[in-house]
Amino acid sequence: MRALVIIDLQNDFIPGGSLAVPGGDEIVPIINELQNKFDLVIATQDWHPSNHSSFAENHPGKREFEIIKLNGIDQKLWPVHCVQNLKGAEFHPDLNSKKIEAIFRKGTDKNIDSYSGFYDNAHLKSTGLSGYFKDKGVTSLYFCGLAAEYCVYFSIIDALKEGFKAVLIEDATRAISKEDFKKAKKETLRAGGKIKTTSDLD
Ligand code: VGL
Ligand code: ZN
């Protein structure tokens, strides 16, 4: 059985939001259409407390997009985004959420960032997403959403590590950096993932 995973389709990642991904709005109608091809659809939501350690403003003297060491691992510092219960953390208003059976939230621990929908960046804490799919007999996961080279990419890598087949739906994602997305696609293929477009899917 297969499932569609919609990653972080939230206002702050859409043009006009605080961490806008270029063209992020263009994928909303594509993802709405895509959902009709799946019996199971779930979504993830980046869901940070306002004192989250991935926010540059919580590190006086540091700049946005600078990389620091946080508890021993590299952390890129982001503009404040997806703060719990604020507008920026809500799904894009045009996203059809009727078929979304479950929402997995991540990034809730102030001390560690969480790009993947499965684990935090240090792989210390699971969101339960892997067990959820295994319990339902899901074997193949199809990924779309934002941002292509961060949360979508790291979710795919974790999905493969957890033993799922993983497919990136390339026309249903957008990247912050085209260069970094190129690298992420190469890595995705190297790790055993596949890359398709919506028109390849039946
Ligand atoms: C994301 C940066 C910070 C994402 C989340 O959803 O790709 N990127 N937090
Ligand atoms: Zn975040």
Side-chain angles (χ1 to χ4, degrees):
M1 184 188 163
R2 72 185 192 181
L4 180 67
V5 185
I6 305 170
I7 303 285
D8 301 0
L9 207 64
Q10 296 163 262
N11 289 324
D12 272 339
F13 296 124
I14 304 283
S18 64
L19 183 40
V21 183
D25 48 334
E26 297 163 8
I27 66 174
V28 178
I30 298 172
I31 291 173
N32 284 341
E33 194 57 41
L34 195 55
Q35 293 189 57
N36 297 322
K37 301 188 182 206
F38 290 84
D39 291 329
L40 178 61
V41 180
I42 74 103
T44 64
Q45 207 170 17
D46 211 31
W47 195 251
H48 299 306
S50 61
N51 61 351
H52 197 253
S53 55
S54 76
F55 298 165
E57 78 160 29
N58 293 326
H59 300 270
K62 302 287 179 193
R63 291 179 314 270
E64 292 178 357
F65 306 107
E66 192 175 334
I67 295 168
I68 64 161
K69 280 275 184 220
L70 197 64
N71 304 312
I73 60 173
D74 280 355
Q75 173 68 51
K76 187 171 264 193
L77 294 178
W78 302 105
V80 172
H81 65 279
C82 297
V83 174
Q84 298 167 355
N85 298 312
L86 299 187
K87 264 264 175 295
E90 288 174 12
F91 290 127
H92 187 285
D94 297 339
L95 175 68
N96 182 357
S97 58
K98 289 193 185 128
K99 284 196 73 169
I100 299 175
E101 197 166 301
I103 298 165
F104 286 78
R105 287 174 167 166
K106 60 189 180 61
T108 52
D109 182 337
K110 88 177 247 296
N111 295 311
I112 182 124
D113 211 359
S114 199
Y115 294 151
S116 156
F118 294 89
Y119 290 94
D120 62 81
N121 289 2
H123 258 247
L124 294 174
K125 210 176 86 185
S126 158
T127 60
L129 184 55
S130 182
Y132 172 86
F133 285 134
K134 285 175 182 164
D135 189 53
K136 287 182 172 289
V138 174
T139 49
S140 300
L141 298 175
Y142 290 72
F143 290 88
C144 61
L146 301 168
E149 77 277 46
Y150 287 100
C151 292
V152 176
Y153 168 66
F154 285 101
S155 295
I156 290 174
I157 294 299
D158 275 351
L160 292 165
K161 280 187 193 155
E162 290 291 315
F164 297 100
K165 287 184 184 144
V167 180
L168 168 68
I169 307 171
E170 196 176 355
D171 55 323
T173 188
R174 290 292 184 276
I176 297 172
S177 149
K178 286 212 161 75
E179 264 324 290
D180 290 346
F181 184 36
K182 239 186 234 167
K183 279 185 229 153
K185 282 194 286 184
K186 242 192 216 163
E187 275 305 306
T188 294
L189 294 171
R190 226 171 51 122
K194 292 203 162 69
I195 300 176
K196 296 190 178 185
T197 61
T198 46
S199 56
D200 296 330
L201 306 181
D202 28 68

